[in-house]
Amino acid sequence: MVVTRQRGWRVHTEAGGIRMGYDMEGNGTPLVLLHGFPLNRAMWRVQVAGLRDRFTVIAPDFRGFGDSEIPRNPMSMDAYAQDVLALLDALGCPRFALGGLSMGGYVAFRVMALAPHRVCALLIADSRAEPDTEEGRQRRRAAIARIENEGPAGYLEDFAGQLVGPTTRSQRPGVVQAILEIIGTPPARSLTTALSAMASRPDSRPLLGDVNVPALVIVGEEDTLTPPEAAEAMAAVLPDARLVRIPAAGHMSNLEAPEAFTRAVREFLTAEFPTAG
Ligand code: MLT
């Protein structure tokens, strides 16, 4: 059975009942894909289409993004992770392969911290385990001030341009437009809440050595936000990890080089779960 574009499932988290948007499509081992900031689950469309014949791909919207309810209170990476776990409980999904890109990776690490027994494989793309530097926090504070003063539009346009690498910018300018379309018009509060949660996220490096499931680390070779060195550092400490570097792609490697990205995930998961589907 292929279940398509479920929306508006009501789940209950420790923070109270919230509406969460998600897609769930396909058959086989569940694969949960967590989106980057300031996007939403729509960024995974190509991966959902390319993996659903072998995996049940579940892509949630974080609170405040896509079809999920706007946060009323401050959030943390753990709170986003609890929302994801609550959704998976509501979907009857006890164990799953877990992937996240950038902010999705930060949240994936917190899922690993909260419920390591539920994760059977880990995929971290264009992300990092270390917390923000003081300079990084200052940039977040400036972004929050800009959004509060001017509204989100100018910030989103500038930020979308930074998400892709120089090759995409010069050779595939339509990708930035596509990213802006996926981003849409998230409410200012969703953006500022997520920025402040990312600024105060914990150091996930202490978790890495204890990850006892196979891991795939993917990075765009032209990623400047979470550069290849950050990916190499994670892959070196994760006990069972392989690293895939995607040429001519920046921070949004799954959208800049969708075929290469999907192929890497497919090869990794098919090797780990040869009987899936
Ligand atoms: C993302 O892509 O999720 C963000 O760029 C992450 C970040 O700003 O640290």
Side-chain angles (χ1 to χ4, degrees), residues 85 96 110-119:
L85 287 166
F96 44 84
R110 303 325 297 165
V111 172
M112 286 301 295
L114 292 168
H117 54 285
R118 295 185 65 173
V119 179

Coordinates of all heavy atoms in Angstrom, one line a residue, residues 85 96 110-119:
L85 N 9.3 12.2 17.8 CA 9.1 10.9 18.4 C 7.6 10.7 18.7 O 7.0 9.6 18.5 CB 9.9 10.7 19.7 CG 11.4 10.5 19.5 CD1 12.1 10.8 20.8 CD2 11.6 9.1 19.0
F96 N 13.2 2.8 13.3 CA 13.3 3.4 12.0 C 14.8 3.8 11.7 O 15.6 3.9 12.7 CB 12.4 4.7 12.0 CG 12.6 5.5 13.2 CD1 13.6 6.4 13.4 CD2 11.7 5.3 14.3 CE1 13.7 7.2 14.6 CE2 11.8 6.0 15.5 CZ 12.8 7.0 15.6
R110 N 19.5 14.6 18.7 CA 18.7 14.6 20.0 C 17.8 13.4 20.0 O 17.5 12.9 21.1 CB 18.0 15.9 20.1 CG 18.8 17.2 20.1 CD 20.2 17.1 20.7 NE 20.2 16.8 22.1 CZ 21.3 16.4 22.8 NH1 22.4 16.2 22.2 NH2 21.2 16.1 24.1
V111 N 17.3 13.0 18.9 CA 16.5 11.7 18.9 C 17.4 10.6 19.3 O 17.0 9.8 20.2 CB 15.9 11.4 17.5 CG1 15.3 10.0 17.4 CG2 14.9 12.5 17.1
M112 N 18.7 10.6 18.9 CA 19.6 9.6 19.3 C 19.8 9.6 20.8 O 20.0 8.6 21.5 CB 21.0 9.7 18.6 CG 21.0 9.3 17.1 SD 20.6 7.6 16.8 CE 21.8 6.7 17.6
A113 N 19.9 10.9 21.3 CA 20.1 11.0 22.8 C 18.9 10.5 23.6 O 19.0 9.9 24.6 CB 20.4 12.5 23.1
L114 N 17.7 10.9 23.0 CA 16.4 10.6 23.8 C 16.0 9.1 23.6 O 15.4 8.5 24.6 CB 15.3 11.5 23.3 CG 15.4 13.0 23.6 CD1 14.4 13.8 22.8 CD2 15.3 13.2 25.1
A115 N 16.2 8.5 22.4 CA 15.6 7.2 22.2 C 16.5 6.4 21.2 O 16.1 6.0 20.1 CB 14.2 7.4 21.5
P116 N 17.8 6.1 21.7 CA 18.7 5.5 20.8 C 18.3 4.1 20.3 O 18.5 3.7 19.2 CB 20.0 5.4 21.6 CG 19.6 5.6 23.0 CD 18.3 6.4 23.0
H117 N 17.5 3.4 21.2 CA 17.0 2.1 20.9 C 16.0 2.0 19.7 O 15.8 1.0 19.2 CB 16.3 1.5 22.1 CG 15.2 2.4 22.7 ND1 15.5 3.5 23.4 CD2 13.9 2.3 22.6 CE1 14.4 4.1 23.7 NE2 13.4 3.4 23.2
R118 N 15.5 3.2 19.4 CA 14.5 3.2 18.3 C 15.1 3.4 16.9 O 14.5 3.3 15.9 CB 13.5 4.3 18.5 CG 12.7 4.0 19.8 CD 11.6 5.0 20.0 NE 10.5 5.0 19.0 CZ 9.4 5.7 19.0 NH1 9.2 6.4 20.1 NH2 8.5 5.6 18.1
V119 N 16.4 3.7 16.9 CA 17.1 4.1 15.6 C 17.9 2.9 15.1 O 18.8 2.4 15.8 CB 18.0 5.3 15.8 CG1 18.7 5.7 14.5 CG2 17.1 6.5 16.3

